[in-house]
Amino acid sequence: MAGRPEILFPLFAEIETLPGVGPRVARSLAGLGVERPRDLLFTLPHSGVDRRRRASIREITPPAVATVEVVVGQHMPASGRGRPYRVQVRDAQTEFLLVFFHARAEYLKNLLPTGQRRIVSGRVELFDGVAQMVHPEHVLRPEEAGDLPAFEPVYPLTAGVTQRVMQKAAAAALTRAPELPEWIDPALKAREGWPDWRAALDQAHAPESAAALAPTHPARQRLAYDELVAHQLTLALARAERRKQRGRPSKGDGRLRARVLAALPYAPTGAQTRAVAEITADMAAETRMNRLLQGDVGAGKTLVALLSLLAAVESGGQGVMMAPTEILARQHYHALAPLAEAAGVRLALLTGRDKGRERADLLAALEAGEIDILVGTHAVFQKGVEFADLRLAVIDEQHRFGVAQRMALGAKGQRPDILVMTATPIPRSLALAHYGDMDVSVLDEKPPGRTPVRTALVSAARMDEVVAHLAQALEEGRQAYWVCPLVEESEAVDLTAAEERFRHLRAALGEGRVGLVHGQMPPSEKDAAMAAFVAGETRVLVATTVIEVGVDVPEASIMVIERAEIFGLAQLHQLRGRVGRGAAASTCLLMYRPPLGETAARRLKVLRDTDDGFRIAEEDLAIRGAGDLIGTAQSGLPRFRVADLERQAALMALAQSDARRLLNDDPGLKTPRGEAARILLWLMEQDKAIRLLGVG
């Protein structure tokens, strides 16, 4: 494989080859993730200072930055320790003071000789009615005035790096940026009015006004798009690579699916029908399926998964459905059992708890093909778990399973099709960034018969009222969840919070009516507490966030969330989705500790006003930012230097369709635009993609 193109060598040299960057500054810059000149090109100024020349400081309203020409007057050295050194100056209309702390008199006399003209630029403030400029940022001779830009860019800094060092290093990195061939589709570039790559860098590093710093500015948009399209090209290459691996066409005849649909008390939604059609079409194709099924809380993903699994069984194969926890695996099993029975297929459950003889029998039946659909936890990855003919793997709750596990599961069968389900609605731009190599089906309708959940905000001061209301609801035969937050400091603290609430509610509502579930319990106790609640023996379940994913108790119609202000929006939406599953009108109470901060208030209000998970996710993205939304550290979400997923969401969709189209027209990236795209991949350090091309 050929290496990095020579035209990029200067950008990948050591950072210390730039003027003003010695070993110490280089170490500091590494803290900003800047290790090569290329990193500086993509470290754009985040703000700027207006340094336009004024006739007098009277033209501005202090405190503000002013740039004026002055005549230097008398020097007034510091009158004692800790006192400032002051210099009187006069501009065209008024006098003011330049103020310096800890400065050497000798240095200041050279810098500002009495009687001479100088250009000074800095922040002017009023102190006891006297205008002062403390430590001017620039002091220049009149003939040097041209060195000061009218609008000075301000870069992000880190300890040990000053603005001046950053500006100088960025300017030097820019001189190394070559003219590169164009990788953007010419029609798109013309339509958007984007500059060439080199010109875009110049404009982004030398903004002429605050407007040039906005993500909507053409230069910034172009650079963001370059980053996104390089990322999407990598995902598209991975997708193309996987599509080359032949799958095994699974064409079901629909007989088992028809039995299940006949047994349902309601018709599937249009979204469910559409998703099943997309999935079964993928399964029938020669290439391997890699599809994401995204559905909001309660949109009916389980039915879609079962119908897809039945298509695998109809075509003579087996299916597996994996859940992240034992509680969820059991729940899937119980939800699917009556429907599997209606279809006449053999369903089995495998968790880490199955031991000895029973486990051995189950594994033998699986290998002999006597089990059609296996439901389990990651135990289905273990050695000794062999399928007769695995055609489809359904994975629930994506982010707990990385790509590595997806591949391990793929190795289990004869390259099975893969369907990943997530109940976390992700805004489209993020879904593309995170799952851009997958095809996506979205369930955006709720099945009939689900009653909307009424959501209310209550202050924690009204705790006694809430408990009294709860006692009343229990008399009417209802059940409730009471969620206590996980306070990060220590697990011990969480337990006391949940255990104290448990004791308090037990005292108020009666001994046997309140159960408790938290993360530190042994699994068997957790299961027992859950089972007692499912059976209706306990009426209130006090829980830490253990219950957020998937637990299904139709009789539970009340959800109380304590300290709701410290939860994320997506998490609150998931928790609320645990109620409203039965026929009873349901309520979700968000209890908060006043005073509410602005962001927390906005979060809780969004939740109160809508139950559309996708809208909530878009809001969450706007409030929290992309990295936090799916936890950047473990999400594998790429770190973009220029692109801003919140404000440039539409660019991501554009980049995806563009990348897929380019590869469709030029799979080997051999045309002039394809060659330019390779340079882009090297520039953006997408080595993975370059390896997939298998060529330089």
Side-chain angles (χ1 to χ4, degrees), residues 43-48 153-157 163 204 213-214 220:
T43 304
L44 301 185
H46 57 67
S47 58
V154 176
Y155 287 90
L157 296 181
Q163 254 329 312
L213 296 163
R220 292 234 170 188

Side-chain angles (χ1 to χ4, degrees), residues 366-690:
L366 187 68
E367 198 169 351
E370 291 157 16
I371 289 170
D372 299 312
I373 298 174
L374 181 67
V375 178
T377 55
H378 52 262
V380 305
F381 282 140
Q382 291 162 350
K383 277 201 169 29
V385 181
E386 297 298 339
F387 292 82
D389 180 7
L390 177 60
R391 297 292 186 94
L392 174 65
V394 178
I395 302 174
D396 189 14
E397 281 302 324
Q398 161 71 11
H399 30 270
R400 320 251 169 123
F401 290 108
V403 177
Q405 283 109 321
R406 289 215 298 252
M407 292 178 76
L409 190 61
K412 277 276 168 219
Q414 294 73 24
R415 302 184 305 282
D417 288 320
I418 289 187
L419 178 67
V420 174
M421 302 199 297
T422 171
T424 315
I426 304 171
R428 179 129 191 267
S429 59
L430 273 191
L432 291 176
H434 204 208
Y435 305 120
D437 60 328
M438 304 178 82
D439 298 300
V440 182
S441 294
V442 178
L443 295 180
D444 47 12
E445 296 171 54
K446 297 253 165 93
R450 289 201 56 146
T451 44
V453 178
R454 195 178 73 83
T455 303
L457 310 185
V458 275
S459 156
R462 295 169 54 194
M463 175 78 74
D464 296 344
E465 272 178 68
V466 172
V467 175
H469 273 293
L470 195 56
Q472 178 58 43
L474 299 191
E475 291 309 315
E476 295 162 13
R478 295 166 69 179
Q479 281 180 279
Y481 294 102
W482 189 297
V483 177
C484 297
L486 285 170
V487 190
E488 288 302 319
E489 288 97 72
S490 88
E491 287 174 340
V493 180
D494 311 337
L495 297 197
T496 50
E499 281 167 350
E500 263 172 39
R501 183 61 62 231
F502 168 62
R503 283 196 287 274
H504 166 200
L505 290 175
R506 209 168 48 171
L509 304 170
E511 275 298 304
R513 304 174 80 177
V514 185
L516 173 67
V517 169
H518 58 68
Q520 306 319 106
M521 288 177 152
S524 54
E525 281 182 36
K526 221 186 295 188
D527 281 1
M530 285 299 306
F533 185 61
V534 171
E537 291 155 25
T538 50
R539 312 299 298 167
V540 178
L541 185 64
V542 175
T544 51
T545 46
V546 184
I547 61 159
E548 74 178 282
V549 181
V551 180
D552 197 358
V553 182
E555 279 61 52
S557 59
I558 299 169
M559 166 69 70
V560 181
I561 303 173
E562 235 181 291
R563 299 292 313 274
E565 75 276 10
I566 65 178
F567 287 91
L569 252 178
Q571 208 178 15
L572 289 169
H573 178 61
Q574 289 287 340
L575 286 167
R576 174 171 64 183
R578 300 293 119 229
V579 294
R581 292 173 167 250
S586 296
T587 316
C588 174
L589 291 184
L590 304 172
M591 284 177 96
Y592 61 89
R593 246 186 229 174
L596 269 182
E598 195 186 328
T599 317
R602 181 173 162 193
R603 270 207 302 268
L604 298 182
K605 217 176 116 3
V606 167
L607 208 74
R608 189 186 63 199
D609 298 344
T610 178
D611 67 346
D612 174 347
F614 288 93
R615 233 198 83 198
I616 287 170
E618 295 286 354
E619 274 294 319
D620 205 8
L621 178 60
I623 296 173
R624 270 204 293 172
D628 289 346
L629 200 62
I630 40 187
T632 310
Q634 88 282 357
S635 70
L637 186 70
R639 307 218 62 149
F640 296 119
R641 280 183 182 274
V642 180
D644 173 337
L645 288 182
E646 290 99 277
R647 292 179 191 80
Q648 297 174 317
L651 278 181
M652 181 62 101
L654 193 60
Q656 189 196 44
S657 59
D658 207 26
R660 287 188 176 185
R661 197 166 50 241
L662 173 61
L663 276 182
N664 195 36
D665 300 345
D666 179 13
L669 296 183
K670 299 275 200 309
T671 62
R673 189 180 158 210
E675 290 287 351
R678 287 173 181 237
I679 292 178
L680 169 69
L681 290 171
W682 280 108
L683 175 67
M684 294 301 179
E685 302 185 304
Q686 295 284 354
D687 311 8
K688 262 201 325 268
I690 293 152

Side-chain angles (χ1 to χ4, degrees), residues 127-363:
F127 190 72
D128 285 343
V130 180
Q132 302 189 341
M133 188 183 283
V134 181
H135 288 280
E137 281 123 19
H138 299 275
V139 177
L140 304 167
R141 294 195 177 89
E143 61 271 21
E144 300 167 329
D147 298 351
L148 193 61
F151 188 77
E152 184 182 36
V154 176
Y155 287 90
L157 296 181
T158 178
V161 181
T162 61
Q163 254 329 312
R164 188 134 325 150
V165 165
M166 207 56 192
Q167 287 169 0
K168 204 169 146 191
L174 271 174
T175 61
R176 299 197 177 179
E179 293 282 351
L180 294 177
E182 187 54 79
W183 46 77
I184 295 182
D185 173 37
L188 170 65
K189 187 170 166 240
R191 186 185 85 205
E192 297 293 335
W194 288 341
D196 288 346
W197 181 70
R198 187 69 188 70
L201 282 174
D202 285 336
Q203 291 172 31
H205 282 277
E208 288 179 1
S209 67
L213 296 163
T216 48
H217 187 271
R220 292 234 170 188
Q221 280 216 302
R222 165 175 186 145
L223 295 171
Y225 178 79
D226 290 342
E227 221 174 4
L228 299 177
V229 88
H231 170 65
Q232 286 297 335
L233 265 172
T234 305
L235 291 174
L237 280 160
R239 178 169 172 263
E241 188 55 33
R242 207 178 21 249
R243 295 191 142 210
K244 274 192 236 154
Q245 307 171 352
R246 313 233 352 161
R248 303 184 50 220
S250 300
K251 295 186 173 71
D253 56 12
R255 64 181 199 287
L256 301 177
R257 282 170 279 168
R259 287 185 202 161
V260 166
L261 292 173
L264 287 177
Y266 53 84
T269 63
Q272 285 174 314
T273 307
R274 186 179 65 233
V276 171
E278 289 168 350
I279 292 163
T280 50
D282 273 8
M283 290 172 65
E286 295 285 333
T287 48
R288 269 182 81 186
M289 171 169 79
N290 191 33
R291 190 169 273 281
L292 175 71
L293 176 64
Q294 226 191 334
D296 201 351
V297 176
K301 287 181 298 296
T302 315
L303 177 64
V304 172
L306 175 68
L307 293 172
S308 309
L309 289 162
L310 289 176
V313 179
E314 287 166 359
S315 55
Q318 292 167 298
V320 63
M321 182 165 185
M322 294 183 52
T325 64
E326 207 150 305
I327 288 182
L328 268 175
R330 285 182 192 286
Q331 192 169 291
H332 277 315
Y333 176 74
H334 292 308
L336 295 177
L339 295 171
E341 196 177 327
V345 298
R346 295 156 300 182
L347 182 74
L349 174 69
L350 175 67
T351 68
R353 225 180 287 169
D354 299 310
K355 298 273 181 287
R357 190 60 207 268
E358 271 176 44
R359 180 183 160 90
D361 290 349
L362 188 136
L363 294 182

